[in-house]
Amino acid sequence: MGAMKITVEAIEEVYPIAGKFSISRGSKTEARVVKVILSDGSRQGCGECVPYARYGETVEAVLEDIRQNGKAIAERPDRRTLQTMMKPGAARNALDCALWDFEAKVLGIPVRNSLGVRNAQPVTTAYTLSMGTPDEMAAAARAASSRPLLKIKVGGRADIERVRAVVEAAPHSRIILDANEGWTDENVEENMAAAAALGVVLIEQPLPAGNDAILRKIRHLVPICADESAHASDSLPGLQDLYDAVNIKLDKTGGLTEALAMRDKARAQGLRIMVGCMVGTSLAMAPAVLLAQKADFVDLDGPLLLERDRTPGLRYEGSLVFPPERELWG
């Protein structure tokens, strides 16, 4: 596609969240996403990103970043060039995924074929419960107790009570805890011991990125997964002896291209793989479903947390999410 010229359009879209999405850092009631559309006049390739304030991103800045780089992409729509033009993050993610989609339509070859996963299978996604009081989280867990994997947001006082309430309300579900950097050196061992006793299968990012050295010294009674501490491949060496798994999100890696490379390097380093997401629509999840084939943990429930998804969207059956149809992406 190196000689092909295309147009690049970036637009903001807003999707209401069903209720409220709460983590240790705060709450939100809507998902503000950026959609990129690449077109040669007859074919379109699309990608979606979710700018994240934790990483200093805003919708406005991401839109501007895409527009500033749009001319170069239009002149040379090449994913490899994109990796050197832009830093990892939401803006590059939307462009990279749009380029994958556009390439598939130009060549007539589905992305799954290009990735060597022609027989892509549905994967079981975690379903996220927002942080709340133990009683609130128990009620949410009871309503979701038929789901095989629940991810519960913690990161404050009464976390042990929250976990116990969820486990009692959903006794047949496996439980992931996501503290979003909300624990401290003083409570991490106590919280981990309680989580282990309650059968928790994974703990995400218990401590702030850069202030997690204690994880090298304490026993990992439950496997610990890096999220805010892990962005692209160059962050992997710093996880050695601290973490047991890594949460790969396209909005952090800057697209599917780098996410695939990060997955392979993480496996070579002996880390388990989790494929995660921000709260976005099926367009954001679609490439990640292909990345998630054979992952150890999958958390691609973004559309399930929205009042409405885009149409067409991914097919969800309970907690099973199916590979994208080409009308959506790829």
Side-chain angles (χ1 to χ4, degrees), residues 145-256:
S145 60
S146 63
R147 296 184 180 274
L149 183 62
L150 297 179
K151 173 172 164 175
I152 69 173
K153 294 290 189 177
V154 294
R157 296 180 180 179
D159 275 350
I160 294 174
E161 289 81 359
R162 289 185 177 97
V163 179
R164 183 175 293 111
V166 168
V167 169
E168 291 175 355
H172 303 297
S173 302
R174 299 165 72 219
I175 304 296
I176 296 171
L177 303 187
D178 187 1
N180 288 114
E181 305 178 283
W183 290 357
T184 67
D185 285 3
E186 289 70 35
N187 66 23
V188 63
E189 289 185 271
E190 178 187 5
N191 287 347
M192 190 182 303
L198 290 165
V200 169
V201 299
L202 190 73
I203 297 173
E204 271 192 80
Q205 198 68 42
L207 298 169
N211 291 307
D212 47 7
I214 194 175
L215 297 180
R216 187 174 283 114
K217 304 174 183 177
I218 65 176
R219 289 180 61 203
H220 290 201
L221 300 175
V222 178
I224 303 176
C225 180
D227 184 359
E228 286 88 346
S229 290
H231 297 268
S233 297
D234 60 3
S235 64
L236 292 173
L239 307 183
Q240 196 70 42
D241 301 324
L242 291 173
Y243 293 93
D244 310 292
V246 59
N247 188 344
I248 301 175
K249 295 178 179 176
L250 302 189
D251 278 311
K252 294 189 300 178
T253 64
L256 180 60

Side-chain angles (χ1 to χ4, degrees), residues 101-166:
D101 188 32
F102 187 71
E103 180 180 298
K105 288 170 178 171
V106 169
L107 299 178
I109 301 173
V111 172
R112 66 184 73 184
N113 289 19
S114 299
L115 298 181
V117 288
R118 298 186 183 187
N119 296 316
Q121 299 296 310
V123 294
T124 299
T125 179
Y127 180 77
T128 303
L129 305 184
S130 286
M131 186 172 173
T133 67
D135 286 346
E136 290 170 342
M137 296 186 75
R142 198 169 295 113
S145 60
S146 63
R147 296 184 180 274
L149 183 62
L150 297 179
K151 173 172 164 175
I152 69 173
K153 294 290 189 177
V154 294
R157 296 180 180 179
D159 275 350
I160 294 174
E161 289 81 359
R162 289 185 177 97
V163 179
R164 183 175 293 111
V166 168

